[in-house]
Amino acid sequence: MQEVKKRIIQGVVVLVAIIYLAKLFYLQVIDEGYSEAAVDNAIEQVVQIPYRGQIYDRKGQLIVYNTPTYDIYVTPKKVKIQDTLRLCNLLGLSKFQFDSMFTIARTYSKFKPSLFMRQLSVEDFARVQDAMVDYPGFTFETNAFRTYNTTAMANTLGYVAEVSPKQLEEQEEAGEDYYRQGDYIGKSGLERFYEDILRGRRGVKYIMKDVHGVVKGPWKGGEMDVSPVAGKNLYTSIDLDLQQYADSLFVNKSGSMVAIDPATGEILAMVSSPSYDPKLLAGRNYSKNYARLALNPYNLLLNRALQGLYRPGSTFKTVETVVGLEEGAITPGTVLGHSGIRMNCHCGRSSSDLHTAIQRSCNPYFYHVFRRIIYHNDERDPFKASKVGLQKWSERVAKFGIGQKLGVDLPYEKKGLLPDVEYYNKRNKGEYSWKFSNIYSVGIGEGELLVTPLKLANVAAIIANRGWYIPPHIVRAIGSPKGEPLPEFKVKHSVDIEQRHFETLISAMYDAINSPVTVPARYVVRDIEACGKTGTSQNKKGQDDNSVFICFAPRNNPKIAIATVVDYGRWGGVTAAPISMLVAERYLKGYTTNKAAEAEMKAKYLLRLPNAPNSKPKPDTTKQQKPLVAAKKVTGPLVSHTKP
């Protein structure tokens, strides 16, 4: 019996030994995982961040490029520090800063590398590179920060910043793994819209190290390395010289100006004022500067060109004209009286024909036009007729891009508001609770109607083209100057209105400027054959109105269409119109002849806090005019516009 027990014990021992040997054979010979784990101890994987694509203007001038820097990443599990104080001194950190940064990295992941310190200059990298060999777990990655050749159009260009935790979560949910904690991503403007094109494709290289962390060379001669692919360059339609000139006219003013090439939909200039220097959101001080910008009461981060909502005022009479002609509500010879209407008239007459009404911006005339469109000469049931007429009218107007997104290649475009039947039903709490008398102000560009300066510029382009447009866009070529824009920016959109109706409108718009009635003669540049329409957009009681103007030039074969909105500029003819005329002349001629108007516009001080009552503006008394005056108790980075 004793012998049997002995044999059983021996058998168990032999069996266990066989199992261990088999497992060892499997790990070392059959299973590659153990081998790979051993390799991991000697091979370091280094991610290579590609350079973002550069951004150019239409003439090939470089606007945005990259300055090389180095980021330090840390993998907490691999970190071994003999002398923390020495490391802190090397990196220029306090012990508290080091502990905080390391805790953040460890919280993110003990095993994954995460950003520890960003944007070391080439000089700083050279100084610390050799010493960092003594600190395993810390690695360097080449990166770059965006550098700008202009202080202009910050909101159009946009900025890049560290990818947010929410974006990382969304990426993980989508099954992607491109971005890591600490990576940069486009946050606004062109940087955001074209992120996938600008970012390129990251690479990776494998480096052999000995047990002391000393680099021995590339693994397998570099045959496993993947080279990074730089992002594609963007070639924009922006004329940088024109942009900077337009910016200089908006010093100490708030508002926007958009200039478009009508034939292509290419945006030549896009002003949003006041703004900021784009350099402020590049580099280590991003967080501090962003906080100051966000708190600035002048809304510096708002791109007014596509996010500012304004009543179009009398500039909308251009749309009302061609819609009325197409609907048969009026003809070019229609004469309408002014009596009995509670609207101001700029004509000084008791009646007007269509040409005079456009030229002199007659409110009563367009009150009648809108009434005829809505009721279509049938007022037996004004509630029902208003519903039918407004539905047809809003469908016509929507084709001009009003009340919807135009699809510009920038994020955060606002639709604005085109009030329709559904809107008034909801607002008045009933299908038949409203009629023309409740909505008549919309017909002259007031009331609930809201547009962006971009939409007004597009309206000017539609008129210039006699009835069609290509969606406004900023990038004219991707990858090379001979590349193509995105496919959607080559498609024509018709507003389905006959060309002859636009010719009627254009004739009056030409006389409105060249036989000065609404635009003072001292601001008119006659030899560029501009056609335009002024507007005054109402503000709250106690505030000066906004100055609005749309135009295009020349009359035949137009090269530029412009919309300008100046907050608190009062009448369209005295602020927005001269700015637009100066910009049109500069683009068409390359120089300015009306130096007096230029000096007057640059010196004009209209900057006020948003939603504040009118106050007497205080002119800048410094030698060089500054674009902004900081509000009390609020400080923020303020940009000086580049002067041409």
Side-chain angles (χ1 to χ4, degrees), residues 33-107:
Y34 184 83
S35 175
E36 290 174 357
V39 169
D40 285 341
N41 290 325
I43 306 301
E44 181 179 328
Q45 178 178 299
V46 179
V47 175
Q48 295 180 297
I49 305 296
Y51 282 131
R52 287 180 75 85
Q54 301 183 139
I55 301 177
Y56 296 82
D57 87 335
R58 68 187 298 110
K59 297 175 182 176
Q61 294 188 77
L62 185 61
I63 300 175
V64 185
Y65 61 98
N66 306 290
T67 296
T69 61
Y70 294 87
D71 295 340
I72 299 178
Y73 278 75
V74 61
T75 306
K77 188 67 175 177
K78 297 180 179 179
V79 170
K80 294 179 182 179
I81 303 175
Q82 300 293 334
D83 188 342
T84 304
L85 185 60
R86 177 172 174 263
L87 178 59
C88 289
N89 291 334
L90 182 67
L91 299 178
L93 300 173
S94 68
K95 180 68 165 53
F96 175 78
Q97 288 175 317
F98 178 87
D99 291 341
S100 298
M101 294 160 69
F102 191 79
T103 299
I104 292 172
R106 189 165 49 198
T107 302

Side-chain angles (χ1 to χ4, degrees), residues 58-279:
R58 68 187 298 110
K59 297 175 182 176
Q61 294 188 77
L62 185 61
I63 300 175
V64 185
Y65 61 98
N66 306 290
T67 296
T69 61
Y70 294 87
D71 295 340
I72 299 178
Y73 278 75
V74 61
T75 306
K77 188 67 175 177
K78 297 180 179 179
V79 170
K80 294 179 182 179
I81 303 175
Q82 300 293 334
D83 188 342
T84 304
L85 185 60
R86 177 172 174 263
L87 178 59
C88 289
N89 291 334
L90 182 67
L91 299 178
L93 300 173
S94 68
K95 180 68 165 53
F96 175 78
Q97 288 175 317
F98 178 87
D99 291 341
S100 298
M101 294 160 69
F102 191 79
T103 299
I104 292 172
R106 189 165 49 198
T107 302
Y108 168 69
S109 174
K110 293 181 180 180
F111 304 96
K112 294 180 181 179
S114 63
L115 182 68
F116 182 77
M117 192 173 180
R118 69 164 70 257
Q119 295 182 344
L120 273 70
S121 66
V122 174
E123 293 77 15
D124 287 339
F125 172 71
R127 177 177 58 82
V128 305
Q129 182 185 19
D130 292 338
M132 290 299 290
V133 172
D134 298 332
Y135 300 95
F138 292 91
T139 56
F140 290 98
E141 291 188 12
T142 305
N143 210 326
F145 69 87
R146 297 301 248 176
T147 309
Y148 303 86
N149 279 330
T150 179
T151 60
M153 54 181 195
N155 284 303
T156 299
L157 295 172
Y159 62 92
V160 296
E162 189 173 333
V163 63
S164 68
K166 182 179 179 182
Q167 288 173 315
L168 290 173
E169 289 177 11
E170 291 172 349
Q171 174 185 251
E172 189 174 346
E173 291 172 359
E176 301 172 355
D177 63 351
Y178 185 86
Y179 298 103
R180 305 165 302 161
Q181 188 267 336
D183 282 351
Y184 284 122
I185 189 172
K187 293 284 189 176
S188 70
L190 293 175
E191 298 280 12
R192 179 183 177 95
F193 190 91
Y194 288 98
E195 168 65 18
D196 291 348
I197 291 171
L198 286 168
R199 75 184 185 188
R201 189 184 69 205
R202 65 163 39 103
V204 61
K205 63 179 179 179
Y206 300 91
I207 299 174
M208 291 192 301
K209 291 185 175 182
D210 63 17
V211 293
H212 301 292
V214 177
V215 175
K216 294 300 183 181
W219 184 49
K220 292 188 176 180
E223 65 180 59
M224 303 298 292
D225 296 353
V226 177
S227 298
V229 178
K232 293 182 179 179
N233 295 333
L234 299 182
Y235 296 85
T236 71
S237 55
I238 295 293
D239 184 322
L240 186 56
D241 297 327
L242 184 71
Q243 175 74 45
Q244 294 178 149
Y245 179 69
D247 271 16
S248 73
L249 298 173
F250 269 85
V251 168
N252 281 331
K253 303 170 188 68
S254 61
S256 175
M257 189 221 71
V258 180
I260 297 176
D261 181 344
T264 62
E266 294 175 355
I267 295 174
L268 305 171
M270 178 179 280
V271 175
S272 178
S273 179
S275 187
Y276 63 94
D277 187 332
K279 299 181 183 70

